[in-house]
Amino acid sequence: MELTFPDILFRRLESIANLSAADRRTVACLPLDVRDFPREQDIVREGDVPSTSFMVLDGFVYMYKLTGQGSRQIPALYIPGDMPDLHSTQLKVMDAGFRSLTPCKLGFVQHKDIHKVCETSYAITSGFWRMTLIDAAIFREWLTNVGQRTAYSRLAHLICEIFIRMRSVGLTKDVSCPWPFTQEQLADSIGVSKVHINRTLQELRGHGLLQLDGNELRILDWGRLCQEGDFDPLYLHLRDETIVPRCEEGIVPK
Amino acid sequence: MELTFPDILFRRLESIANLSAADRRTVACLPLDVRDFPREQDIVREGDVPSTSFMVLDGFVYMYKLTGQGSRQIPALYIPGDMPDLHSTQLKVMDAGFRSLTPCKLGFVQHKDIHKVCETSYAITSGFWRMTLIDAAIFREWLTNVGQRTAYSRLAHLICEIFIRMRSVGLTKDVSCPWPFTQEQLADSIGVSKVHINRTLQELRGHGLLQLDGNELRILDWGRLCQEGDFDPLYLHLRDETIVPRCEEGIVPK
DNA sequence: CGTGTAGTTGAGTATGTTCAAAGTCTGTGG
DNA sequence: CCACAGACTTTGAACATACTCAACTACACG
């Protein structure tokens, strides 16, 4: 939580691309407009044509899409270090909106500055491109999750992903991590009703796989959680092998 | 169906980016290895680390992901002009596989050639990047489709998307387009059983929305199909306004 | 004409939804 | 410090949507 710009962006870009010293200097000079948002506030709306993109410096953000029937899908959750709407540098009109999930600190960058930086270095472009492609890989996996697995398995899978991603940016302590999500947000993420999320979470707790104390998640049986969720972190494309705990039974992430 | 390289790629890139004459020349010089595939053959498998990407010159292709329980999700369908695994230029390990849906003709390009071209022109890079981002936008929409809509609505939505995309590359004739999909492939695309797809298709036909004669789809009521499918083509990010028929009741695409 | 693939049908069942109400927690103002 | 409001979570019961299994039909291809 202590990381600030530009280190948070370095860390992310370097986990997926090789930057030269000059590239690092270029990125560090990106003009950043830092703003605080309260909980549950719109950052960008569907239909907007933004001229900036933002990175999450602190707190959590989610993407959402509304259907004509008034229901809501959350296709992605974002944690510090992520750039949720980086794709808007290339696609003009937003086909989804973004909201703050918790109070959060966001760093806004002008699209024109991003384009300028990208024109100077293909390595940097590559890094940004990859960030958007990892997002796409997560969409694919979520689609598979929602399309093919039971609610119980889906939820286990989501929890595994969140834990691993939190871990990759240093937000976990031992087998615990922040858990800022309401049951309704989880429901909209995996496409079930909030009543059913409640019962499914009770099952996971009842089976001794995890514990939820207020705003903290505690993993009690990582092996079985991965197994129940059919979770394989390949799709997250994390470069550093040490960042990914193996999912065999009994191996607790450290 | 008559388009060949490099025109098919020009048409696609120029529908999403502005290329200079020099850029066009650069793209036209990309060395292409054209190969024919029979129906239902693996092109790239999950876990592979390919050194090429391919574009669809003729025929249809699908992406698939298998779960540990043996079920299959199809997260994307590809038509001529698409570059299904373009993202593999940036992400090394495949987290999904690709198969030919029909007999098809594919053009393979070396990753190193793509990188070389991208290093010379940010406009070209932009075009490729956008292609992958439109794929990502479609994943988001499919996720919303599977997560939030009924089987009936989902299927209507999928049919609308396929028709519009076919139309954008000139594969439609009046209100008809090719329909090479088996019911099982459709089932795996929208996350329902093949038995249920069968019944849902019967409903759509019974309500007079469409007709399926062998390998051809015929739209009978575009307005209601869009309405039932809650379909808005915004997420396809088609640049040319004329390419998108409006979805108001009664307006038949031409 | 036989074989295999894809599409169709029926019946019983499971998973997850909806609706309504009660319980819990937290922050705020008196 | 207590009372209250609002958001979130939990519970029960009836219901709906979609699944599974198994058999049967239609069609294309050799």
Side-chain angles (χ1 to χ4, degrees):
Chain A
M1 289 294 222
E2 300 304 317
L3 277 178
T4 56
F5 183 82
D7 299 307
I8 199 166
L9 184 54
F10 282 160
R11 181 164 174 169
R12 172 54 62 99
L13 281 174
E14 290 183 338
S15 80
I16 52 183
N18 292 310
L19 299 185
S20 68
D23 289 335
R24 291 175 59 101
R25 251 174 284 126
T26 310
V27 168
C29 290
L30 272 174
L32 205 72
D33 173 23
V34 178
R35 273 190 275 157
D36 286 302
F37 280 74
R39 207 189 92 106
E40 284 292 343
Q41 178 146 46
D42 270 321
I43 302 162
V44 189
R45 262 185 281 261
E46 184 173 338
D48 281 359
V49 182
S51 60
T52 59
S53 284
F54 66 91
M55 80 186 66
V56 182
L57 300 176
D58 195 15
F60 300 91
V61 167
Y62 65 92
M63 181 192 282
Y64 69 97
K65 281 176 83 97
L66 301 174
T67 69
Q69 286 64 247
S71 72
R72 176 180 74 165
Q73 176 68 40
I74 293 181
L77 300 168
Y78 295 96
I79 69 177
D82 287 334
M83 292 191 67
D85 73 338
L86 184 54
H87 63 268
S88 70
T89 56
Q90 300 293 333
L91 299 179
K92 290 178 199 151
V93 184
M94 300 298 300
D95 58 68
F98 292 92
R99 278 177 87 88
S100 51
L101 197 145
T102 60
C104 58
K105 189 187 293 279
L106 307 177
F108 288 81
V109 195
Q110 292 290 323
H111 285 172
K112 63 174 175 2
D113 291 327
I114 292 179
H115 289 305
K116 212 179 294 172
V117 161
C118 285
E119 275 164 31
T120 69
S121 161
Y122 182 57
I124 296 175
T125 308
S126 247
F128 283 136
W129 191 353
R130 277 182 213 188
M131 285 176 71
T132 63
L133 291 177
I134 291 172
D135 285 347
I138 297 177
F139 295 143
R140 282 196 284 277
E141 185 67 29
W142 281 36
L143 178 53
T144 307
N145 208 26
V146 174
Q148 303 302 323
R149 296 194 256 259
T150 63
Y152 184 74
S153 184
R154 265 185 252 186
L155 184 53
H157 191 282
L158 177 63
I159 291 169
C160 289
E161 176 188 311
I162 291 172
F163 187 84
I164 290 295
R165 287 174 59 199
M166 294 259 194
R167 193 166 182 272
S168 76
V169 292
L171 286 177
T172 56
K173 273 191 221 122
D174 194 32
V175 293
S176 299
C177 77
W179 194 256
F181 315 105
T182 66
Q183 294 188 356
E184 191 159 12
Q185 289 160 347
L186 296 174
D188 290 345
S189 297
I190 64 170
V192 298
S193 68
K194 62 185 179 184
V195 169
H196 200 57
I197 273 283
N198 183 283
R199 290 177 171 135
T200 310
L201 268 177
Q202 286 180 52
E203 269 191 273
L204 287 169
R205 286 185 302 221
H207 294 169
L209 302 186
L210 53 85
Q211 213 173 305
L212 283 169
D213 313 327
N215 297 323
E216 196 172 76
L217 164 72
R218 192 178 161 78
I219 308 281
L220 298 182
D221 191 338
W222 177 251
R224 269 197 64 202
L225 195 64
C226 286
Q227 186 187 308
E228 298 288 4
D230 189 27
F231 179 75
D232 175 351
L234 173 69
Y235 72 95
L236 293 173
H237 296 274
L238 297 169
R239 187 156 79 164
D240 194 341
E241 289 278 332
T242 64
I243 245 166
V244 185
R246 278 172 295 149
C247 293
E248 289 107 49
E249 188 128 14
I251 295 186
V252 171
K254 12 165 223 209
Chain B
M1 289 296 219
E2 299 303 317
L3 278 178
T4 56
F5 182 82
D7 300 308
I8 198 167
L9 184 54
F10 283 160
R11 180 163 175 170
R12 172 54 61 97
L13 282 174
E14 290 182 338
S15 79
I16 51 181
N18 292 310
L19 298 186
S20 68
D23 289 336
R24 291 175 60 100
R25 251 173 285 126
T26 310
V27 168
C29 291
L30 271 174
L32 204 71
D33 173 24
V34 178
R35 273 189 274 157
D36 285 302
F37 281 74
R39 204 190 94 107
E40 284 292 343
Q41 178 146 47
D42 271 320
I43 302 161
V44 189
R45 262 185 280 261
E46 184 174 338
D48 281 0
V49 182
S51 60
T52 59
S53 285
F54 65 92
M55 79 187 67
V56 182
L57 301 175
D58 195 15
F60 301 91
V61 167
Y62 63 93
M63 181 191 282
Y64 68 98
K65 282 177 82 96
L66 301 174
T67 69
Q69 286 64 246
S71 71
R72 175 180 74 164
Q73 176 69 40
I74 293 181
L77 300 168
Y78 295 96
I79 69 178
D82 288 334
M83 292 192 65
D85 74 336
L86 184 53
H87 63 268
S88 71
T89 56
Q90 299 293 331
L91 299 179
K92 290 178 198 153
V93 185
M94 301 297 300
D95 58 67
F98 292 92
R99 277 177 88 88
S100 52
L101 196 145
T102 59
C104 57
K105 189 187 294 280
L106 307 177
F108 289 81
V109 194
Q110 293 290 324
H111 284 171
K112 63 174 175 5
D113 292 326
I114 292 179
H115 289 305
K116 212 179 294 171
V117 161
C118 286
E119 275 163 30
T120 69
S121 162
Y122 182 56
I124 297 174
T125 308
S126 247
F128 283 136
W129 191 352
R130 277 183 214 188
M131 286 176 71
T132 63
L133 291 177
I134 290 171
D135 284 348
I138 297 177
F139 295 144
R140 283 195 284 276
E141 185 68 27
W142 282 35
L143 178 53
T144 306
N145 208 27
V146 174
Q148 303 301 322
R149 296 193 256 258
T150 63
Y152 184 74
S153 183
R154 264 185 253 184
L155 184 53
H157 187 102
L158 177 65
I159 291 169
C160 288
E161 176 186 311
I162 291 171
F163 187 84
I164 290 294
R165 287 174 59 199
M166 294 261 194
R167 194 166 181 274
S168 77
V169 292
L171 287 177
T172 56
K173 272 191 222 123
D174 192 31
V175 293
S176 298
C177 76
W179 195 256
F181 315 105
T182 67
Q183 294 187 354
E184 190 159 13
Q185 289 160 347
L186 296 174
D188 291 346
S189 297
I190 64 170
V192 298
S193 69
K194 63 185 180 184
V195 169
H196 201 58
I197 273 283
N198 182 284
R199 290 175 171 138
T200 309
L201 268 177
Q202 286 181 51
E203 269 190 273
L204 286 169
R205 286 187 301 222
H207 295 169
L209 302 186
L210 53 83
Q211 215 173 302
L212 284 168
D213 313 327
N215 297 324
E216 196 172 75
L217 163 73
R218 192 177 161 78
I219 307 281
L220 298 182
D221 190 339
W222 177 252
R224 269 197 66 204
L225 195 63
C226 286
Q227 187 187 309
E228 298 287 2
D230 188 27
F231 179 75
D232 175 351
L234 172 70
Y235 72 96
L236 293 173
H237 295 274
L238 296 170
R239 187 156 82 165
D240 193 343
E241 290 278 332
T242 65
I243 244 166
V244 185
R246 278 172 295 148
C247 293
E248 290 106 49
E249 189 127 14
I251 295 186
V252 171
K254 8 163 227 215

